[in-house]
Amino acid sequence: MTHMAVPSGRPDTAPVAPSGRRDAGATRAAILRAARHLLARHAHADITLRSVAERAGVSPPLILKYFGSKDALFAQVMSFEADATALLDAPLDALGAHMVRHVLVSQSEHGADPLLRVVFAPLHREHGDVLRANFRTQVAARLAARLPGPDAGLRAELAVGMLLGLGVMYGIVSGTRLRAAGLDAITDRYAPAVQAHLTRWPGGGPVRDIP
Amino acid sequence: MTHMAVPSGRPDTAPVAPSGRRDAGATRAAILRAARHLLARHAHADITLRSVAERAGVSPPLILKYFGSKDALFAQVMSFEADATALLDAPLDALGAHMVRHVLVSQSEHGADPLLRVVFAPLHREHGDVLRANFRTQVAARLAARLPGPDAGLRAELAVGMLLGLGVMYGIVSGTRLRAAGLDAITDRYAPAVQAHLTRWPGGGPVRDIP
């Protein structure tokens, strides 16, 4: 069974092994990964520094050394800045396919889709509102800023909605046909509609035939 | 602030008021609603009969009288049969628009989208697998059974993915532009791509121009 935030190749329940040789970057990444994992399964209020530390294979004081506080750690876990940079890293006329592929590769190769963190907002009460607001600003509005034509904000939200849905169907529902299909085949079928929100609009835009 | 499973017009935290006049159907619905609400915010293992009863404004024994057991109650809460019947209640050539509108109306008028329960599967461990399997069988496969053409299973999963994404963007992310747009405008923009998965396929199918 596939869980959303499970790093690929490691069983769901195994914490990262502590290692004297691990460098600061790897430790930091392990702490962030542990916090993301827990945040997809437990309410914010129920997650302790100790539970993050245990899962990451480090001590609670080490987390404070790296992040300052539990709040500062979670502020970072709740940011979509880095993910949006990767998601949006393509020229506009190829962006639909790039974004679809990015979602699929995140799921199938890394076993996690950072964008999907937003679906757990209802779990986290006021922290969920931070997650929602970050997502709207850091992902949807950032995409909208790149779009020509009218209603760019709405079109960006619709395009991002399609991406989230693909991520849910692949990563959470584990759709059996999706899982069996190649990434190219899925991208070929799904990306044109995403692209249409970016560069086509009613009554205008560079309309092309959708294959 | 919008929560997914909040009945419209009632604050998030208010339990259903107990009422001597409420009939069996209303009581049953209140219990199901309370269980759905809790299941979107807490792990299955953390939800007690008492917490469902408190939220529904009834006694725990009354829940047992109506549903038999906590497991039987949650089996019903985790079924998508009734939702799929409403979702799929349209002729095939109008089904894309019907499904999109169904998702939007569920969110905007009823304040909840029963399909979206599946996104919380990672919270519930083995019960999450029940939720996933039910969704695949009761929603995606049931849609696939209606589709002509090749790869019906994959096309159904892609179409349902688009619907889930719209629900997430509207109901969980609360996209500001989506929330401000009319349901007709959203349906006009979003439904053609959903419909394309249903009745168009590469190299065949009744291809029509997408407006």
Side-chain angles (χ1 to χ4, degrees):
Chain A
M1 201 63 247
T2 304
H3 288 301
M4 203 186 66
V6 182
S8 60
R10 198 162 55 226
D12 188 10
T13 49
V16 178
S19 160
R21 298 187 311 278
R22 196 157 66 178
D23 65 14
T27 301
R28 207 183 156 78
I31 293 167
L32 282 170
R33 204 158 51 223
R36 285 185 177 199
H37 180 96
L38 293 171
L39 211 57
R41 285 164 185 76
H42 302 278
H44 183 282
D46 298 336
I47 304 173
T48 61
L49 214 48
R50 177 167 300 280
S51 64
V52 178
E54 273 175 16
R55 188 165 176 84
V58 302
S59 68
L62 195 68
I63 296 182
L64 296 179
K65 180 186 158 201
Y66 277 99
F67 292 92
S69 67
K70 181 187 162 189
D71 280 352
L73 167 64
F74 279 104
Q76 196 152 334
V77 170
M78 289 188 173
S79 167
F80 295 93
E81 289 286 5
D83 316 306
T85 298
L87 181 74
L88 300 176
D89 185 24
L92 187 61
D93 62 359
L95 189 55
H98 170 80
M99 293 194 300
V100 167
R101 181 167 284 278
H102 181 81
V103 165
L104 295 170
V105 168
S106 297
Q107 293 278 5
S108 63
E109 291 182 14
H110 308 300
D113 178 352
L115 292 180
L116 277 193
R117 279 173 290 151
V118 77
V119 307
F120 300 108
L123 280 184
H124 303 309
R125 299 187 173 273
E126 71 278 15
H127 296 93
D129 286 345
V130 174
L131 207 55
R132 291 179 175 94
N134 283 352
F135 190 89
R136 289 192 299 256
T137 309
Q138 297 169 348
V139 183
R142 189 165 159 192
L143 172 59
R146 288 188 55 187
L147 302 186
D151 302 321
L154 177 59
R155 286 159 44 218
E157 289 184 358
L158 294 171
V160 171
M162 286 187 174
L163 298 175
L164 285 171
L166 183 64
V168 170
M169 201 67 200
Y170 196 99
I172 295 181
V173 178
S174 282
T176 47
R177 306 310 181 95
L178 259 180
R179 289 280 180 174
L183 303 195
D184 286 340
I186 300 170
T187 304
D188 287 349
R189 285 174 191 264
Y190 206 80
V194 177
Q195 184 67 39
H197 291 303
L198 308 182
T199 47
R200 294 175 62 178
W201 48 87
V207 179
R208 298 195 208 129
D209 281 341
I210 291 182
Chain B
M1 188 183 68
T2 307
H3 287 301
M4 204 185 65
V6 181
S8 60
R10 196 164 56 227
D12 186 11
T13 51
V16 178
S19 159
R21 297 186 311 277
R22 198 158 64 180
D23 66 14
T27 301
R28 207 183 155 79
I31 293 167
L32 282 170
R33 206 159 48 224
R36 284 186 178 200
H37 179 94
L38 293 170
L39 212 57
R41 284 163 185 76
H42 302 278
H44 183 281
D46 298 336
I47 304 174
T48 61
L49 258 193
R50 176 166 299 281
S51 63
V52 178
E54 274 174 15
R55 188 167 176 86
V58 302
S59 69
L62 195 69
I63 297 183
L64 295 179
K65 181 186 158 203
Y66 278 98
F67 293 92
S69 67
K70 181 187 161 189
D71 281 352
L73 167 64
F74 278 104
Q76 195 151 334
V77 171
M78 289 188 173
S79 167
F80 295 93
E81 290 286 4
D83 316 307
T85 297
L87 181 74
L88 300 176
D89 184 25
L92 188 62
D93 63 0
L95 190 54
H98 170 82
M99 294 195 298
V100 167
R101 180 168 285 278
H102 181 81
V103 165
L104 294 171
V105 168
S106 297
Q107 292 278 3
S108 62
E109 292 181 14
H110 309 301
D113 177 353
L115 293 179
L116 277 193
R117 279 172 291 151
V118 77
V119 307
F120 299 107
L123 280 183
H124 303 307
R125 298 184 174 275
E126 71 277 15
H127 296 93
D129 287 345
V130 174
L131 207 54
R132 291 180 175 93
N134 283 352
F135 190 90
R136 289 192 299 256
T137 308
Q138 298 170 347
V139 183
R142 188 164 160 193
L143 172 59
R146 287 188 55 187
L147 303 187
D151 301 321
L154 177 60
R155 287 158 43 219
E157 289 185 357
L158 294 172
V160 171
M162 286 187 174
L163 298 176
L164 285 172
L166 183 63
V168 169
M169 201 65 200
Y170 196 98
I172 296 181
V173 178
S174 281
T176 48
R177 306 310 182 96
L178 259 181
R179 287 280 180 176
L183 302 195
D184 286 340
I186 300 171
T187 304
D188 287 349
R189 285 173 190 264
Y190 206 80
V194 177
Q195 183 68 39
H197 291 302
L198 308 182
T199 47
R200 294 176 59 179
W201 48 86
V207 178
R208 298 196 207 129
D209 281 339
I210 291 181

